[in-house]
């Protein structure tokens, strides 16, 4: 059980180089093909005397966008360097979210940056949209993180479809881990039921030859994200695995509290599945 293809978004953000190096390390760990992907979207039409004028990008603009993508691809290959495994590049004259979502069909695992929704959707990637649209597990990389060796993994459990999907998607990582913890945040009154859930998850992982070092129920007056991040800090966790909860309302992505908190506030990498 492994990942055969790791895909990474290559962007213009300051953290892009570190993200590429991290993805390259993951591909090396799993003996996987590494695919770099980027999108450059056309700027919006302009308005003249109340009318929207849209002739599409000119030939010169298309040429400039193509050269920009070529530069990103060359930089990606230079960062990865010579390796003994396949490396591919996919650049698209399209919005980054469209380029990554479309290319996701070729990936087992997608590596992107974390953080809030960007202002420049023509050159930058909205991580929340990728989680909800890609149909693949997504590793969120916080700014400043350059490597991911998932020796200690925390599974944030909730008895939902998304959490079950994330647990299955993370099995290759869990097989590689030295320590796996499973935690559920719940009110004190639900602790007994939560422990039964965690015991069942532990037995499921044991059937996949993955030993769970500890199961934990967390009770906190603050947010569930705060409780999970605090545990991750205390245990020096390398990766948090969780379900990605969200939906679209009138064209705007709406997220659950834990997903929103991990998107913008986790100090460690997160593997999320929707």
């Amino acid at each position: 059980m492994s990942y055969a293809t790791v895909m990474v978004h290559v962007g213009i953000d300051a953290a892009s180089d570190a993200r590429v190096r991290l993805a390259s390390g993951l591909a090396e760990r799993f003996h996987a093909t590494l695919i770099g992907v980027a999108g450059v979207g056309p700027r919006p039409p302009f308005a003249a005397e109340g009318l929207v004028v849209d002739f599409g990008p000119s030939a010169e603009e298309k040429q400039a966008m193509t050269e920009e993508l070529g530069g990103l691809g060359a930089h990606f290959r230079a960062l990865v360097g010579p390796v003994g495994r396949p490396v591919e590049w996919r650049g698209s004259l399209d919005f980054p979210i469209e380029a990554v979502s479309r290319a996701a069909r070729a990936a087992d695992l997608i590596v992107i940056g974390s953080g809030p929704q960007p202002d420049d959707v023509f050159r930058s990637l909205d991580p929340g949209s990728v989680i909800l649209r890609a149909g693949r597990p997504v590793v969120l990389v916080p700014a400043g993180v350059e490597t991911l060796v998932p020796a200690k993994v925390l599974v944030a459990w909730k008895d939902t479809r998304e959490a079950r999907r994330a647990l299955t998607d993370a099995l290759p990582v869990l097989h590689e881990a030295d320590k796996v913890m499973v935690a559920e945040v719940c009110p004190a009154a639900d602790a007994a039921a939560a422990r039964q859930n965690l015991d069942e998850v532990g037995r499921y992982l044991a059937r996949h030859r993955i030993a769970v070092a500890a199961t934990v129920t967390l009770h906190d007056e603050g947010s569930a994200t705060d409780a999970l991040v605090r545990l991750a800090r205390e245990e020096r966790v390398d990766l948090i695995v969780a379900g990605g909860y969200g939906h679209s309302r009138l064209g705007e992505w709406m997220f659950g509290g834990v997903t929103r908190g991990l998107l913008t506030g986790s100090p460690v990498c997160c593997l999320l599945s929707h």
Side-chain angles (χ1 to χ4, degrees), residues 7 9-10 35-41 69 90-106 110 121-122 125 130 133:
M7 180 173 289
H9 171 242
V10 182
I35 300 177
V37 61
V40 175
L69 285 170
R90 299 186 182 183
S92 177
L93 295 177
D94 206 344
F95 294 96
I97 179 57
E98 299 297 337
V100 173
S101 297
R102 186 167 54 249
R105 60 177 173 256
I110 301 174
V121 297
F122 309 99
L125 190 66
V130 177
R133 291 180 58 179

Side-chain angles (χ1 to χ4, degrees), residues 9-202:
H9 171 242
V10 182
I12 61 173
D13 55 291
S16 180
D17 287 3
R19 185 168 63 247
V20 168
R21 286 190 285 266
L22 182 148
S24 181
L26 283 177
E28 190 75 33
R29 171 176 290 271
F30 291 106
H31 308 287
T33 295
L34 177 67
I35 300 177
V37 61
V40 175
R43 295 295 176 177
F46 66 91
E49 298 182 356
L51 297 175
V52 175
V53 181
D54 182 12
F55 300 107
S58 66
E60 291 79 8
E61 289 171 328
K62 286 184 178 180
Q63 180 63 29
M65 293 161 64
T66 300
E67 291 176 357
E68 183 177 350
L69 285 170
L72 286 173
H75 185 62
F76 163 73
R77 290 188 179 277
L79 283 173
V80 174
V83 291
R85 50 186 165 74
V87 176
E88 300 177 8
W89 170 252
R90 299 186 182 183
S92 177
L93 295 177
D94 206 344
F95 294 96
I97 179 57
E98 299 297 337
V100 173
S101 297
R102 186 167 54 249
R105 60 177 173 256
D108 292 310
L109 187 70
I110 301 174
V111 179
I112 65 173
S114 62
Q117 182 173 344
D119 295 327
D120 184 3
V121 297
F122 309 99
R123 299 294 187 277
S124 301
L125 190 66
D126 174 23
S129 295
V130 177
I131 292 168
L132 295 180
R133 291 180 58 179
R136 294 289 189 270
V138 175
V139 173
L140 296 172
V141 182
V145 177
E146 296 194 9
T147 59
L148 174 57
V149 179
K152 294 183 179 180
V153 180
L154 171 63
V155 177
W157 181 253
K158 187 177 181 181
D159 198 22
T160 62
R161 178 189 68 83
E162 291 84 354
R164 297 179 198 118
R165 171 74 182 273
L167 185 67
T168 301
D169 287 342
L171 286 177
V173 170
L174 300 180
H175 270 288
E176 294 282 322
D178 297 328
K179 181 178 182 180
V180 176
M181 299 179 62
V182 186
E184 180 171 353
V185 181
C186 64
D190 297 336
R195 281 193 292 271
Q196 289 182 350
N197 291 340
L198 297 183
D199 287 345
E200 193 73 44
V201 173

